[in-house]
Amino acid sequence: MSSQTITADAAGTWKLGDLPVHRLGFGAMRLTGSAAFHHGTPSDRDRSIAVLRKAIDLGVNHIDTAAFYFSSLRSANELINSALAPYPEDLVIVTKVGPYRGYDGEWGTSARPEDLRGHVEENLRQLGRDHLDVVNLRRMPKYDSIAEHFGALAELREAGLIRHLGISNVTPRHLAEARAIAPVVCVQNRYALDRPDPDSDELLAICGEQGIAFVPFYAVAGEAAERGSTTAHDEHVRAVARAQGASPAQIRIAWTLHQGPHVLAIPGTGNPGHLTENVAAGAIRLTDEELNRLNRPRQEAG
C-alpha cells in the first residue's frame, strides 16, 4: 500500500478523558537504541529527534513514554523535550511510573506508594512540563493490590500534577480496584495477535463497555518484546499482508486497531521509514474474511 500521504487521522480518534487523540500513536521506547533499555546499540540523537518531528508532521498526537526509557546514551523523555518543546497544543504525552532503573540500567526496587511523587516529578522535569497529561501506574508483580499506589497518584491528580490516570500490566480485578478510587482513562497491557491472553481479552471487552481506552504494547514486537519487532509472522499474517499490499508489521497494527474503536496503537521505532509505514497502517481496512483468518490461530489456541 502507498504510505506517502497517509497521516494518523486515518485511524480515527478516541478520547483519553477530555483529551482527543488519534488512535494511531507513537511509543517512545525504541527511540533510545536498536533495542530498548540497555540492549542493542544506542541511537543516533539527531535521527531520533527527526523521527519525533516526523511523527508530529504525520499527525501523531499521542506519545507514550517513561522516565525509565533510556539507554546508556539516550533518554526518551529528553529526546521528546528537545525535539518537540514548546509542545503542540493537541499533543498528549502519556507517561508511566512504578518501575525504577538506576543510571547503570539495572532494574531497582519497585516504587512504594510514597515514592511515586518522585517518579512523577522526574517525568515533569525531563519533559519540561508543569503537569502530566496522563500517568499510567505500572503494576509491579510484587504488589497484589494496586489500591495504595493508585491512591497516591489520585492525590497527585487532585494536586494538579496529573490530569488523567491509567493503569498498566493489570487484570480485570485491578481495574475495578482502581475505578473505586479515581477515574481510569486507559488500560495498557501486553496484547498481540499471536499471544492469546484471556485476562487481556476480558479487559479489552470491559474497557469497551466502560468507554476506557485499551492500549496494547508489544503488539508489533510480539515475543521479541523490548528487543524489537518480531520476524516470526505466521502464514495467515503473510497472506493477508500480500493481499493488502502491506507489510506483516502493518497487518499486526491494523489487526490491533480492529479490536474495537476504543483500542489505541502505539508502535515504536527509531527508523523514519518504519514510522511512515506504521502510521499508514491506520488506513488499512481488513475484511471480515481477513480478520477471521488472522484470528484462527488464537481461536485454536483458546
Side-chain angles (χ1 to χ4, degrees):
M1 63 179 292
S2 172
S3 57
Q4 296 307 305
T5 59
I6 297 173
T7 54
D9 61 330
T13 61
W14 188 258
K15 282 189 175 181
L16 296 174
D18 61 345
L19 302 173
V21 295
H22 295 138
R23 293 178 59 220
L24 198 298
F26 178 79
M29 180 186 286
R30 294 289 306 283
L31 280 176
T32 64
S34 60
F37 310 127
H38 277 43
H39 304 303
T41 304
S43 62
D44 177 83
R45 188 171 185 277
D46 289 341
R47 189 185 197 210
S48 293
I49 286 176
V51 166
L52 283 162
R53 290 175 176 166
K54 183 165 188 170
I56 299 302
D57 290 343
L58 290 171
V60 171
N61 61 1
H62 168 207
I63 294 178
D64 178 83
T65 187
F68 55 85
Y69 285 178
F70 62 90
S71 67
S72 58
L73 294 181
R74 304 279 172 259
S75 156
N77 281 354
E78 186 277 329
L79 290 166
I80 292 167
N81 190 343
S82 295
L84 304 180
Y87 298 106
E89 288 187 8
D90 67 339
L91 178 62
V92 176
I93 299 178
V94 179
T95 59
K96 62 184 69 63
V97 296
Y100 171 78
R101 294 175 68 218
Y103 291 120
D104 61 357
E106 294 299 316
W107 292 98
T109 303
S110 298
R112 299 182 300 275
E114 61 269 25
D115 298 329
L116 290 177
R117 182 173 185 124
H119 286 216
V120 168
E121 294 277 6
E122 182 66 6
N123 278 283
L124 288 168
R125 182 189 68 78
Q126 292 178 4
L127 291 167
R129 303 289 298 271
D130 62 4
H131 75 280
L132 298 174
D133 297 324
V134 182
V135 173
N136 284 320
L137 172 67
R138 169 80 172 183
R139 183 181 71 88
M140 291 70 69
K142 67 178 288 187
Y143 296 108
D144 181 55
S145 168
I146 64 170
E148 286 190 71
H149 288 78
F150 195 77
L153 290 182
E155 291 177 4
L156 297 178
R157 175 176 170 268
E158 290 297 320
L161 296 183
I162 302 170
R163 190 160 177 178
H164 296 295
L165 298 174
I167 50 179
S168 176
N169 195 35
V170 295
T171 67
R173 172 173 60 85
H174 297 114
L175 175 57
E177 195 174 38
R179 293 187 73 235
I181 297 169
V184 175
V185 302
C186 55
V187 171
Q188 189 179 99
N189 264 32
R190 187 168 184 174
Y191 193 78
L193 171 59
D194 53 2
R195 196 172 191 272
D197 181 345
D199 273 346
S200 285
D201 283 336
E202 183 180 354
L203 264 174
L204 184 148
I206 293 171
C207 286
E209 293 165 2
Q210 298 178 352
I212 298 169
F214 185 80
V215 190
F217 62 88
Y218 295 154
V220 178
E223 292 305 316
E226 67 269 15
R227 294 186 180 275
S229 299
T230 185
T231 57
H233 306 293
D234 67 26
E235 60 177 302
H236 302 291
V237 173
R238 294 183 186 280
V240 173
R242 287 192 296 271
Q244 286 277 353
S247 71
Q250 287 179 310
I251 295 304
R252 292 172 72 96
I253 294 169
W255 177 87
T256 301
L257 291 170
H258 276 70
Q259 300 313 296
H262 64 299
V263 178
L264 310 183
I266 49 169
T269 182
N271 182 310
H274 290 168
L275 170 68
T276 302
E277 290 181 7
N278 289 347
V279 172
I284 295 175
R285 301 295 181 260
L286 299 171
T287 66
D288 289 342
E289 182 180 350
E290 288 170 336
L291 282 169
N292 289 335
R293 179 165 192 176
L294 292 170
N295 286 330
R296 200 171 300 151
R298 291 174 67 87
Q299 293 165 349
E300 292 170 355

